[in-house]
Amino acid sequence: MKKSLLTDIGLALLRIGVSSMMIFGHGLSKFQNLVAGNFEFPNPLGIGATPSLFLAVIGEFIAPILILVGYKTRLASIPAAITMAVAFFAVHIADPFKIQEKALFYLLAFTVIALLGPGKYSIDRK
């Protein structure tokens, strides 16, 4: 196989895998809380629980859906990465590394996606 083909397959796997994990592991429950009117949520930036929940839904549910399908991928990776930076540096900074690890993993993955783009197998490339 050509190197570019392997790169495009790898980018698709990264995009789809990481986004799916974020959506179903973290974002969907926050989205469901938002829709149900349950606005109880941590306030790590001091902007209020409701705005914090709204921003978390953007970063953990809406942006990963866009990344998963490869639409506006680089742009969508920014709020996802910022959300994970807040999770790592503000929410989990005093926790043991085992707890911090997930936020750091997602931060790195979304940063890589932002830098490398979606690859050939995406809506952006059609």
Side-chain angles (χ1 to χ4, degrees):
M1 282 195 194
K2 291 183 177 180
K3 185 178 179 180
S4 63
L5 176 62
L6 291 176
T7 300
D8 287 325
I9 291 170
L11 288 171
L13 287 173
L14 177 67
R15 242 186 37 246
I16 293 166
V18 169
S19 294
S20 296
M21 289 168 37
M22 176 58 72
I23 291 165
F24 294 107
H26 303 277
L28 181 59
S29 62
K30 290 177 180 77
F31 176 73
Q32 290 170 330
N33 285 342
L34 184 67
V35 170
N38 178 4
F39 302 117
E40 292 180 34
F41 195 73
N43 183 19
L45 300 176
I47 61 173
T50 302
S52 294
L53 175 60
F54 183 75
L55 291 173
V57 167
I58 291 171
E60 295 182 17
F61 185 73
I62 295 170
I65 289 172
L66 296 173
I67 296 165
L68 187 142
V69 298
Y71 181 71
K72 302 291 184 188
T73 307
R74 286 187 163 156
L75 185 61
S77 296
I78 295 168
I82 290 170
T83 302
M84 292 300 99
V86 170
F88 181 75
F89 291 107
V91 177
H92 297 296
I93 196 66
D95 292 339
F97 184 72
K98 187 172 185 165
I99 303 296
Q100 295 173 330
E101 184 177 11
K102 280 193 276 186
L104 184 58
F105 165 77
Y106 284 118
L107 171 58
L108 292 171
F110 287 127
T111 301
V112 168
I113 292 167
L115 293 172
L116 297 180
K120 180 180 175 183
Y121 305 108
S122 66
I123 292 175
D124 286 344
R125 297 296 169 121
K126 295 292 175 195

